[in-house]
Amino acid sequence: MASAKRSAKSKTASKKETGLRQGLATYGDAGFSLFLRKAFIKAGGYSDDALDRPIVGITNTFSDYNPCHGNVPDLIEAVKRGVMLAGALPMVFPTVSIHESFSHPTSMFLRNLMSMDTEEMIRAQPMDSVVLIGGCDKTLPAQLMAAASADRPAVVLPVGPMLVGHFKGEVLGACTDCRRLWGQYRAGTFSESDIEQVSERLAPTKGTCMVMGTASTMGCIVETLGMGLPTSGSIPATHSDRLRIAEQTGRLAAEMAVKQGPRPSEIMTKAAFRNALTVLQAIGGSTNALVHLTAVARRLGIEIELEEFDEIGRNVPVLVDLKPSGDHYMEHFHWAGGNSRLMKEIRKNLDEKCRTVAGKTLKQVIDAAEMVPGQTVIRTPANPIKPTGGMAVLRGNLAPRGAVIKHAAASPSLMTHTGRAVVFESLEDLAARGDDPNLDVKADDILVLRNAGPKGAPGMPEAGSFPIPMKLARAGVKDMIRISDARMSGTAFGTIVLHVAPEAAVGGPLALVKTGDRITLDVPKRKLELHVDAKTLAARRKIWKAPPAHPGSGRGYTGLFFKTVLQADEGVDFDFLGPEK
């Protein structure tokens, strides 16, 4: 009789797949698995009442190595408050945390690891919904990738941008002004003492970069995709509104836990991704976001087509006056109405029927946008910052699978230019020769950096906006065409061609360029051409050898990365992380 009762309890427990009863550890006895789980969790002081409620998981990406996420503990408490006010049980769990400046060799190398970690922790632990808290460049992309793959009800809460800094009457923003002032320091026009003082003022508060870099771009995209609450991408990290939106996010997550939806696959549709690409063009966003969106969409079996993205850019102007394409910062964008207000200006280009996690349509979000009289940060299509979108996709014999240029942050005089190639074989070669006073380079040359892509670097670092050679910088040269298979920070300015695919390390045409070759960049015609005949290129290919393997590439995560990483046009994800078939 006792055995029969235990068997009945086991069957009941196995049927109930919500709350604490879901995803039980495999012991061969579901009743025992649940008993053991409760016994251990009660060590934390939980009551049966608490343990019988729907569970909301909350990611903890706080790390002493990640100052961008310095407000995460406060956000977690606010989310927990919202969850409990709505009658659910919050459960916080740690995941990988990535900071751009504290990730060797590059944060992109670790994005896929974080996505896998987050996905598996969502799968492995009992939760009916999850709140994903993140911000710094590769964190939100990794979390969106994880949400897409786990496909459990999820809502994203960005940590928010930091406030601006000040130096001698000038407003400072990390990291556009980091690069600008460092360039002046390299050129000898900015003193040692000034650069030291600036280092203390560029990032004056917790939060992500306050310009339209990758973090801010992804915050806008989270809202556009419908995966986060309106305004959640732009509220400053230090403001009380950030805590209120966190509490509201917790309430929403509790409601989603009860309803068991919506799931990410129901929110992040083909139309939602097109909306995100449209906003990306209109905000003059980071080139990184194109790679990230491609990776997130691929997890759901959706293809991001580069030609479609380019066509969107031809029809949607840059409307947001933020650095590096404009003059202002994220706090100004937020108080001008934020992403909802921006979407109102381009609503004819958006699919407003798309759903959001809050249960509203995109049309309802746009209709509710705050209208701020007299603001100039968010322009109208009749008075844009740039007449076309922030990015263009280039094709040609140098980039048969595409390359990207953020022409909204480039020099107009270089949009159509033919010049002599000056080639750097690698990041190490660039470091060794770039500042050599005897380097054979002129201002109208085209700098080429190769073997800096997904496999070549490894990890496709933000090295595409590499410095102007010292001797030219000190002669007053502020911009040159630079071409590479690397990425660049969304905070960077310059005429920089990126994501050349396929990369040099796998034998892409970039591997065959020699110093002295002529290259044409023609952004209006979307062309990137190497002026070397096919016969010569074929001869060069015969003698080309792949670069030697990087240390550690035969084992562990590094080995997995080299064996399975895809190219830029496929999102730099791992080949086995597509949709389950």
Side-chain angles (χ1 to χ4, degrees):
M1 179 68 73
S3 176
K5 284 183 179 179
R6 280 196 299 271
S7 177
K9 285 182 181 179
S10 296
K11 288 178 181 177
T12 301
S14 65
K15 287 179 183 177
K16 188 149 177 120
E17 296 179 349
T18 59
L20 205 66
R21 292 168 173 79
Q22 63 188 293
L24 294 171
T26 305
Y27 293 116
D29 182 340
F32 174 72
S33 297
L34 180 59
F35 165 76
L36 199 60
R37 173 174 286 179
K38 280 192 171 183
F40 276 101
I41 199 67
K42 283 185 175 181
Y46 290 96
S47 66
D48 285 328
D49 179 33
L51 296 176
D52 283 340
R53 294 174 183 269
I55 297 174
V56 176
I58 306 170
T59 62
N60 183 1
T61 56
F62 176 79
S63 167
D64 284 339
Y65 288 109
N66 197 341
C68 292
H69 288 198
N71 64 339
V72 164
D74 292 335
L75 293 178
I76 287 174
E77 290 306 310
V79 171
K80 288 169 68 176
R81 184 169 65 244
V83 170
M84 289 188 285
L85 286 170
L89 176 65
M91 297 290 284
V92 181
F93 63 98
T95 71
V96 167
S97 181
I98 305 173
H99 188 277
E100 186 64 37
S101 301
F102 289 90
S103 301
H104 178 80
T106 173
S107 60
M108 189 66 167
F109 182 72
L110 298 172
R111 184 201 65 180
N112 297 348
L113 177 65
M114 181 177 180
S115 79
M116 293 168 68
D117 172 32
T118 306
E119 174 188 344
E120 295 308 326
M121 288 299 97
I122 293 172
R123 290 186 192 279
Q125 300 170 134
M127 62 189 78
D128 299 293
S129 67
V130 62
V131 177
L132 301 160
I133 304 176
C136 194
D137 282 20
K138 309 307 172 290
T139 301
L140 288 178
Q143 291 174 325
L144 286 170
M145 291 160 72
S149 294
D151 206 26
R152 190 165 299 184
V155 56
V156 179
L157 176 64
V159 300
M162 66 179 79
L163 299 182
V164 298
H166 297 268
F167 176 72
K168 293 184 177 180
E170 181 182 357
V171 178
L172 298 177
C175 198
T176 298
D177 294 318
C178 307
R179 298 173 187 279
R180 177 177 63 85
L181 296 175
W182 184 257
Q184 292 181 18
Y185 172 67
R186 278 175 48 84
T189 60
F190 205 69
S191 72
E192 183 85 34
S193 60
D194 281 349
I195 201 70
E196 284 300 318
Q197 192 170 15
V198 160
S199 73
E200 298 176 357
R201 300 188 181 186
L202 277 163
T205 73
K206 298 170 183 177
T208 55
C209 292
M210 67 291 264
V211 298
M212 193 54 80
T214 306
S216 298
T217 299
M218 292 306 300
C220 293
I221 282 174
V222 163
E223 289 189 42
T224 306
L225 283 172
M227 288 297 292
L229 288 171
T231 75
S232 63
S234 60
I235 299 170
T238 58
H239 284 213
S240 58
D241 282 349
R242 174 59 55 189
L243 297 176
R244 279 187 281 274
I245 202 78
E247 181 185 300
Q248 190 180 348
T249 298
R251 277 185 173 273
L252 173 60
E255 293 170 9
M256 294 168 68
V258 172
K259 295 176 182 176
Q260 288 294 292
R263 292 175 289 113
S265 60
E266 297 173 303
I267 300 297
M268 292 192 287
T269 61
K270 176 79 172 175
F273 279 106
R274 183 181 169 85
N275 287 342
L277 293 172
T278 303
V279 165
L280 175 56
Q281 292 282 22
I283 61 178
S286 168
T287 50
N288 285 320
L290 180 58
V291 176
H292 297 321
L293 279 169
T294 301
V296 178
R298 182 178 173 274
R299 295 289 183 98
L300 294 164
I302 298 170
E303 183 180 356
I304 298 294
E305 298 172 0
L306 293 179
E307 270 62 38
E308 181 183 31
F309 179 61
D310 187 75
E311 185 62 27
I312 290 170
R314 291 179 185 272
N315 295 303
V316 177
V318 176
L319 299 181
V320 178
D321 189 4
L322 252 70
K323 289 190 174 183
S325 299
D327 294 323
H328 296 289
Y329 301 88
M330 278 300 288
E331 62 189 88
H332 307 129
F333 174 63
H334 176 69
W335 299 121
N339 195 65
S340 298
R341 176 71 180 83
L342 175 275
M343 289 193 293
K344 181 166 281 194
E345 293 297 338
I346 58 170
R347 67 188 311 167
K348 69 177 184 180
N349 302 101
L350 300 173
D351 186 336
E352 297 187 66
K353 297 187 296 295
C354 288
R355 297 172 60 193
T356 70
V357 286
K360 296 180 178 180
T361 64
L362 198 65
K363 181 182 186 303
Q364 291 173 304
V365 171
I366 293 172
D367 286 343
E370 182 180 3
M371 301 300 290
V372 180
Q375 67 83 21
T376 60
V377 179
I378 302 171
R379 303 279 191 89
T380 66
N383 181 34
I385 296 296
K386 307 283 182 181
T388 59
M391 278 178 256
V393 175
L394 307 172
R395 298 277 189 180
N397 66 347
L398 200 50
R401 284 169 55 181
V404 175
I405 184 169
K406 187 176 179 179
H407 55 115
S411 300
S413 61
L414 293 174
M415 291 296 92
T416 303
H417 180 78
T418 298
R420 183 187 69 128
V422 175
V423 179
F424 297 98
E425 288 292 332
S426 62
L427 291 165
E428 294 75 18
D429 184 32
L430 174 65
R433 295 193 297 122
D435 289 340
D436 185 342
N438 296 316
L439 179 68
D440 180 15
V441 63
K442 298 179 177 61
D444 61 353
D445 288 339
I446 294 176
L447 306 179
V448 175
L449 171 65
R450 61 183 171 217
N451 295 312
K455 293 190 177 186
M460 202 181 180
E462 291 186 345
S465 55
F466 53 95
I468 303 295
M470 184 77 78
K471 73 176 188 179
L472 294 180
R474 292 192 168 173
V477 177
K478 291 184 170 55
D479 192 17
M480 296 175 69
I481 294 176
R482 283 154 280 180
I483 300 172
S484 76
D485 43 17
R487 298 176 299 111
M488 80 171 181
S489 169
T491 65
F493 178 93
T495 310
I496 301 166
V497 177
L498 305 152
H499 310 177
V500 173
E503 65 175 308
V506 299
L510 200 66
L512 308 180
V513 183
K514 289 188 175 183
T515 294
D517 290 346
R518 305 286 289 177
I519 295 174
T520 292
L521 169 66
D522 190 333
V523 176
K525 292 183 179 179
R526 303 299 196 257
K527 289 291 185 181
L528 183 65
E529 292 288 340
L530 174 65
H531 298 291
V532 176
D533 63 83
K535 184 177 179 180
T536 302
L537 289 177
R540 291 180 185 179
R541 181 167 295 284
K542 283 184 179 180
I543 61 174
W544 174 80
K545 292 181 180 179
H550 289 273
S553 58
R555 65 171 300 277
Y557 178 72
T558 303
L560 178 69
F561 190 96
F562 277 103
K563 288 182 180 74
T564 65
V565 73
L566 300 169
Q567 292 294 294
D569 60 324
E570 299 171 297
V572 197
D573 201 2
F574 293 156
D575 59 13
F576 61 87
L577 289 177
E580 189 172 349
K581 296 178 181 179

